Amino acid sequence: MIKGLFQGFWHALARLILRNRVIILLLITATTVFMGLQWKHMRFSNTEANVLPDDHPETVQYDEFVSLFGQEDNAVVLAVRDSMLFEPDNFNRWNKLSKQFLAVPEIDFVVAIDNLQELKKDQEKQEFVLEPLVTETPTTKKEVLAIKNHLFENMPFYDNLIFNSESGTVRTVLYLDKDILNTSVRSEFILNDLESLVLNFEKETGLDVRVSGMPYIKTWNSKIIIDEIGNFILAALVVTSLIFFFFFRSFRATFISMCVVIIGVMWAFGILGLFQYEITILTALIPPLIIVIGIPNCIFLINKYQQEVKKHGNQALSLQRVIAKVGNATLMTNVTTALGFATFILLDSDLLKEFGIVASINILCIFLLSLLIIPIIYSFMSIPKDKHLKHLRKKWIDRFVNWMEHVVRNHRIAVYITSISVLVLSIIGIYQIEITGSRIEDLPKDAKFFKDIRFFEEEFDGIMPVEVVVDTKRKNGILKPATLRRMNQLANEIDETPELSKPVSVVNLVKYSKQAFYNGIPKYYQLPTSQENTFIMDVARKSAENGNLLQSFVDSTGQIARMTTFMRDVKTTRMEEIEEDLITSISKIFPKERYNVYMTGKALLFLKGTKYLTKNLLLSLAFAIGLISLFMAYLFRSFRMILISLVPNLLPLVITAGLMGYLGVPIKPSTILVFSIAFGISVDDTIHFLAKYRQELTANKWQIKKSVYNALRETGVSMFYTSIVLFFGFSVFIISSFGGTKALGGLVSATLLFAMLANLILLPSLLLSLERSIANKQVLKKPQIDILPKGDEKAKRK
């Protein structure tokens, strides 16, 4: 009864669409205009992806740190490694540049040679005072070198902060106003004001300025994402339209299909604006994805229309059958694809939830647009002529189908041996896969800002902040000698780690205080001894009260301090080793009953986020397989058929994972996405084939061999067409400058190609080999829904 109602629904829907075609076109136009108006609400991401949930312990700790000391990733750094910098004109121009930045409202403060302060002891007041390093503008090289030598030789506090004593590199640190960090103002400043000031300096001096820092990297990252959206859309349109035209040899069919997917892209942007979601590196992929996924819908609908016209030449009947018959099958395949994306909604990550919501909604929207626009537009046109149907008689397609049938009929043993061999090799490859959380691995390697990241790693040991927070559990406990000694011991441990920079903390300030106490002699840059501690710390405390020297290092109560170091870009495994070693050192140095010490910072948040995302994406893949299996169980109502159908869809995933191992492509968030997306799309071919196979069984009185071969001939062409479109469509992502997006495009394309071969060769082979196990009415009972109604068979036999 349900089946009859469902068939009746599709016939009624076909009549409704064709009778109200003008009204439907007007509604589509109005909806498109409405979606276009939502574009103004689209926002490009100015923040990093929120991977960890708000209530995750690591997020809570980081929020506590930010509430005490503010965000630690607000620094933009500029550096020059060139001896010509110390020519008087260039040196003064460098100092002028720092003054120019200080005058910009987006900059909170600047630390540069120009305004560097030297800590000295005021003998009369018995307190430390800050005096400028540069008191007058130097006019000769001798004066410049005197400033340089004094800085490099007598001010170790600034070593690795403002200069590298070994290479002679000098840098300026710009601290952005923290209120603009996650706003478009930051991007405007970096892309316009900062770039302009730096370029002017380079033109006037001929020096090469390196620029980096987390705000700078995030801004250029976002800009490249925005720029690539247009490239992806254009490339997807060009590639899919050329392939479509090659298959159909019809400008009319190609134009109609392009109109459908362009409207789909407009709706995709509109939905992003309607939900006010930010455009991230993931949501930026949705518009081209809609083109790639939408074109196969058009292929199935137009191909069916032309086949019907060829059979009986009745345009009205052809259009009605397109909606009633192919619409049902296309709905089912689009639902499975949407389910593959919808599983991301179940994960506790805003980044993936938003991607899953918008992608799944848009996939259903592109199905609706295809089902409505194609029959309606064709209803206003003349019936296709014989030249438009020539592609249905292509000899090379016949040869391809005959080859598949020959392999399935005569070489099933070879198919199984090949499949098992590939499976074993793939499993070996899987054991070679690495998991990586490298923060900059996916960034464009040829971009200047990427090269500058490597420069700062070489010169200053990294740009990704790691914070160690020391809570003494008592007011003013930080300046206690025992606490300072423990912090110094931990600082030495950090300094001995090659991937970490020298840490900066109140310990450095206390050491500098002792140096200042002894008239700036560098060898006294060390912690006070127990005998010196009383009078040096008294002077330091007095100075702190007057000048608030400690505010960057210690909270207002003197109970909690921060130690800041910077990490090089390292793999996840090495990052975990560093974290584990530091935690071990912390537990040895700081007794838990007296101190509460923890590590935080954006570098560690990224590590935790990568592990969290990898775990959740594997869960997403399991959800996708489970949901789609349930959906297919509902369609075919046979457990054995579900197992058979999963084999040709899971094998390509295993092959792709094996290839990743052999090619050295690591598991990371961008590559884990491949499996859920590819599985949701590849299962469409299985549904088409099995639906046709079940229909042939009914028509041929349960003769399995005949049914398999008929199903292969009937569905092989469409499956081949759509798989080729999907292969080349996803391949457009290879043009991306982001490594993760490139990998996503290449791996999804490869997986879908493997899935096509598995569905056209392995699946029919399994059905034939297991015919005794499945050739009974209990296993192949009628489903609740007929994907391909009986009318197809009647028309075919006629």
Side-chain angles (χ1 to χ4, degrees):
M1 182 177 177
I2 294 175
K3 182 174 64 177
L5 289 173
F6 203 76
Q7 290 180 11
F9 165 78
W10 281 101
H11 286 290
L13 181 64
R15 290 192 297 272
L16 181 69
I17 291 172
L18 294 173
R19 288 175 181 174
N20 299 279
R21 51 188 184 170
V22 175
I23 295 173
I24 289 171
L25 286 179
L26 290 174
L27 286 173
I28 291 173
T29 303
T31 305
T32 305
V33 171
F34 172 76
M35 290 297 185
L37 295 174
Q38 304 309 306
W39 289 16
K40 62 186 177 185
H41 300 301
M42 283 194 302
R43 295 176 296 142
F44 294 100
S45 178
N46 292 299
T47 61
E48 287 188 292
N50 183 22
V51 175
L52 292 174
D54 293 338
D55 58 351
H56 192 280
E58 297 292 337
T59 307
V60 172
Q61 277 191 339
Y62 181 75
D63 290 342
E64 288 176 1
F65 168 81
V66 170
S67 67
L68 286 172
F69 299 104
Q71 283 189 260
E72 93 286 26
D73 60 342
N74 66 323
V76 175
V77 287
L78 290 73
V80 173
R81 183 174 61 189
D82 194 325
S83 59
M84 293 301 294
L85 178 66
F86 299 102
E87 294 294 326
D89 290 343
N90 292 341
F91 184 77
N92 292 326
R93 183 65 181 85
W94 179 250
N95 289 338
K96 179 184 175 184
L97 181 63
S98 67
K99 286 189 177 76
Q100 290 175 319
F101 280 118
L102 192 56
V104 176
E106 290 84 1
I107 298 295
D108 201 358
F109 64 98
V110 176
V111 179
I113 292 179
D114 175 59
N115 64 357
L116 217 55
Q117 300 291 303
E118 185 175 8
L119 193 65
K120 293 186 176 181
K121 181 184 176 185
D122 187 322
Q123 299 291 350
E124 292 182 7
K125 297 182 179 179
Q126 284 298 298
E127 65 181 28
F128 295 123
V129 294
L130 291 169
E131 295 183 359
L133 171 66
V134 180
T135 54
E136 295 181 359
T137 302
T139 56
T140 65
K141 187 165 184 177
K142 182 179 179 181
E143 292 174 337
V144 174
L145 290 178
I147 294 171
K148 175 195 172 185
N149 292 336
H150 182 66
L151 174 63
F152 279 44
E153 296 171 10
N154 299 325
M155 301 176 71
F157 178 79
Y158 293 108
D159 191 9
N160 210 53
L161 289 175
I162 295 300
F163 65 89
N164 182 324
S165 55
E166 295 180 1
S167 66
T169 301
V170 173
R171 72 175 177 178
T172 293
V173 185
L174 316 175
Y175 290 93
L176 271 63
D177 181 351
K178 293 174 181 176
D179 292 336
I180 70 158
L181 268 186
N182 295 324
T183 68
S184 59
V185 177
R186 180 203 74 203
S187 300
E188 291 169 7
F189 162 72
I190 288 174
L191 296 175
N192 298 317
D193 296 349
L194 186 143
E195 287 295 304
S196 175
L197 289 171
V198 168
L199 282 173
N200 288 338
F201 172 83
E202 290 179 327
K203 285 180 183 178
E204 292 178 26
T205 62
L207 300 174
D208 180 26
V209 179
R210 305 297 189 119
V211 188
S212 196
M214 295 316 301
Y216 187 80
I217 294 170
K218 286 189 285 188
T219 298
W220 276 101
N221 207 28
S222 297
K223 185 180 186 303
I224 293 173
I225 290 171
I226 294 166
D227 292 344
E228 286 193 345
I229 293 176
N231 295 337
F232 287 151
I233 292 173
L234 182 61
L237 283 172
V238 170
V239 168
T240 53
S241 61
L242 286 175
I243 296 171
F244 189 96
F245 181 77
F246 175 76
F247 286 151
F248 284 88
R249 300 298 173 94
S250 167
F251 287 107
R252 181 166 69 174
T254 305
F255 177 74
I256 293 171
S257 300
M258 290 303 107
C259 287
V260 171
V261 294
I262 288 171
I263 294 171
V265 168
M266 295 177 70
W267 282 28
F269 281 123
I271 289 171
L272 280 169
L274 188 64
F275 290 168
Q276 297 190 3
Y277 287 160
E278 291 185 339
I279 294 182
T280 64
I281 194 167
L282 283 184
T283 52
L285 301 178
I286 292 174
L289 274 175
I290 293 306
I291 297 172
V292 174
I293 293 171
I295 287 295
N297 290 342
C298 300
I299 288 176
F300 276 113
L301 291 165
I302 293 176
N303 201 42
K304 179 63 178 175
Y305 172 61
Q306 294 182 346
Q307 285 177 346
E308 288 290 332
V309 169
K310 185 181 177 184
K311 285 177 187 176
H312 49 72
N314 188 320
Q315 185 181 36
L317 181 61
S318 299
L319 292 170
Q320 188 172 347
R321 284 184 173 177
V322 165
I323 299 170
K325 298 173 183 179
V326 181
N328 189 8
T330 309
L331 172 62
M332 299 307 164
T333 55
N334 277 264
V335 167
T336 56
T337 303
L339 280 175
F341 286 91
T343 52
F344 297 130
I345 301 171
L346 304 174
L347 306 182
D348 197 6
S349 166
D350 291 343
L351 175 73
L352 291 172
K353 275 185 180 178
E354 292 178 5
F355 176 67
I357 290 169
V358 177
S360 53
I361 290 174
N362 277 288
I363 287 167
L364 297 178
C365 285
I366 195 66
F367 157 73
L368 187 63
L369 287 170
S370 305
L371 186 69
L372 295 175
I373 293 175
I374 289 175
I376 289 175
I377 295 298
Y378 270 111
S379 72
F380 286 107
M381 294 181 171
S382 58
I383 195 165
K385 298 177 182 177
D386 187 62
K387 64 179 182 179
H388 298 132
L389 308 178
K390 283 183 180 179
H391 69 93
L392 299 173
R393 300 188 296 270
K394 285 181 181 175
K395 293 182 179 179
W396 65 272
I397 285 290
D398 291 337
R399 287 196 293 269
F400 174 71
V401 173
N402 290 336
W403 172 79
M404 288 189 300
E405 185 176 338
H406 173 74
V407 171
V408 172
R409 189 185 295 271
N410 301 311
H411 301 288
R412 289 202 292 277
I413 301 299
V415 169
Y416 299 142
I417 292 173
T418 303
S419 300
I420 292 170
S421 301
V422 170
L423 178 64
V424 171
L425 289 172
S426 299
I427 292 171
I428 295 171
I430 288 171
Y431 280 99
Q432 301 178 41
I433 295 180
E434 294 181 352
I435 297 177
T436 179
S438 171
R439 187 163 189 164
I440 68 171
E441 184 178 34
D442 286 342
L443 297 180
K445 302 295 185 292
D446 56 348
K448 185 180 185 299
F449 77 88
F450 182 86
K451 296 173 183 175
D452 286 353
I453 290 172
R454 293 303 191 200
F455 171 84
F456 280 97
E457 284 190 336
E458 178 186 340
E459 291 292 320
F460 297 99
D461 298 320
I463 57 168
M464 294 189 291
V466 177
E467 301 283 350
V468 178
V469 180
V470 179
D471 182 357
T472 61
K473 301 182 181 180
R474 54 180 173 168
K475 189 175 181 180
N476 296 320
I478 289 297
L479 294 180
K480 298 292 182 183
T483 301
L484 292 172
R485 283 195 297 272
R486 294 178 193 278
M487 291 178 67
N488 189 52
Q489 186 180 348
L490 180 61
N492 291 334
E493 297 270 355
I494 292 172
D495 196 20
E496 289 174 4
T497 305
E499 294 86 356
L500 297 176
S501 67
K502 291 180 182 178
V504 182
S505 69
V506 65
V507 172
N508 302 73
L509 188 57
V510 172
K511 288 180 178 180
Y512 199 13
S513 298
K514 178 175 177 177
Q515 181 189 354
F517 188 85
Y518 286 103
N519 301 314
I521 300 173
K523 72 175 184 178
Y524 289 106
Y525 184 74
Q526 55 186 254
L527 284 177
T529 64
S530 54
Q531 292 86 358
E532 298 166 329
N533 188 73
T534 302
F535 53 89
I536 289 179
M537 292 310 296
D538 283 344
V539 176
R541 287 190 186 93
K542 186 177 179 183
S543 305
E545 290 172 4
N546 294 334
N548 204 17
L549 295 174
L550 297 175
Q551 64 177 348
S552 297
F553 306 109
V554 183
D555 77 328
S556 59
T557 66
Q559 175 180 319
I560 303 172
R562 67 190 288 190
M563 298 179 69
T564 304
T565 181
F566 293 89
M567 182 181 284
R568 292 174 178 265
D569 179 60
V570 294
K571 302 294 184 184
T572 300
T573 49
R574 178 57 186 150
M575 201 180 288
E576 288 175 329
E577 289 172 3
I578 293 170
E579 182 190 21
E580 187 176 335
D581 290 344
L582 287 180
I583 289 173
T584 302
S585 298
I586 288 169
S587 63
K588 289 179 181 177
I589 296 169
F590 295 93
K592 288 187 178 180
E593 63 273 11
R594 293 176 55 190
Y595 299 95
N596 177 27
V597 183
Y598 63 87
M599 295 172 60
T600 188
K602 284 296 178 69
L604 287 181
L605 279 186
F606 184 80
L607 166 64
K608 305 295 183 183
T610 298
K611 292 174 67 178
Y612 178 85
L613 206 55
T614 303
K615 176 184 174 184
N616 278 268
L617 285 170
L618 288 171
L619 187 63
S620 166
L621 176 60
F623 279 144
I625 293 172
L627 284 174
I628 291 171
S629 297
L630 288 173
F631 183 70
M632 292 180 70
Y634 178 72
L635 289 180
F636 298 108
R637 304 179 67 196
S638 166
F639 180 72
R640 292 180 190 176
M641 289 293 285
I642 299 308
L643 292 179
I644 291 171
S645 66
L646 284 177
V647 171
N649 289 293
L650 293 179
L651 180 61
L653 302 185
V654 177
I655 295 172
T656 300
L659 276 177
M660 289 171 64
Y662 288 120
L663 298 176
V665 179
I667 287 286
K668 51 188 174 181
S670 52
T671 53
I672 282 285
L673 280 171
V674 168
F675 300 102
S676 295
I677 293 172
F679 184 80
I681 296 173
S682 66
V683 80
D684 294 351
D685 283 345
T686 307
I687 290 176
H688 273 289
F689 183 86
L690 291 179
K692 189 65 182 174
Y693 167 65
R694 187 197 55 75
Q695 188 184 78
E696 290 288 341
L697 279 172
T698 305
N700 295 300
K701 298 179 181 179
W702 308 97
Q703 297 179 49
I704 288 184
K705 287 185 179 179
K706 186 176 181 181
S707 300
V708 167
Y709 297 138
N710 286 349
L712 189 60
R713 284 190 291 269
E714 286 287 317
T715 60
V717 175
S718 292
M719 288 165 67
F720 175 76
Y721 279 5
T722 55
S723 295
I724 293 301
V725 169
L726 289 166
F727 175 82
F728 285 104
F730 275 98
S731 295
V732 303
F733 294 122
I734 295 174
I735 68 174
S736 173
S737 51
F738 288 97
T741 308
K742 279 183 181 178
L744 178 71
L747 292 172
V748 171
S749 296
T751 308
L752 293 177
L753 190 63
F754 298 143
M756 178 193 74
L757 293 173
N759 278 301
L760 288 176
I761 296 175
L762 181 58
L763 179 58
S765 298
L766 287 171
L767 290 172
L768 289 171
S769 297
L770 300 172
E771 62 177 302
R772 291 183 180 178
S773 300
I774 61 176
N776 62 76
K777 295 187 178 182
Q778 179 63 28
V779 172
L780 291 166
K781 65 179 75 171
K782 298 294 183 179
Q784 291 288 347
I785 299 172
D786 261 332
I787 296 177
L788 298 173
K790 290 182 181 178
D792 262 3
E793 289 308 308
K794 294 176 183 176
K796 189 179 76 171
R797 286 194 294 270
K798 287 178 183 178

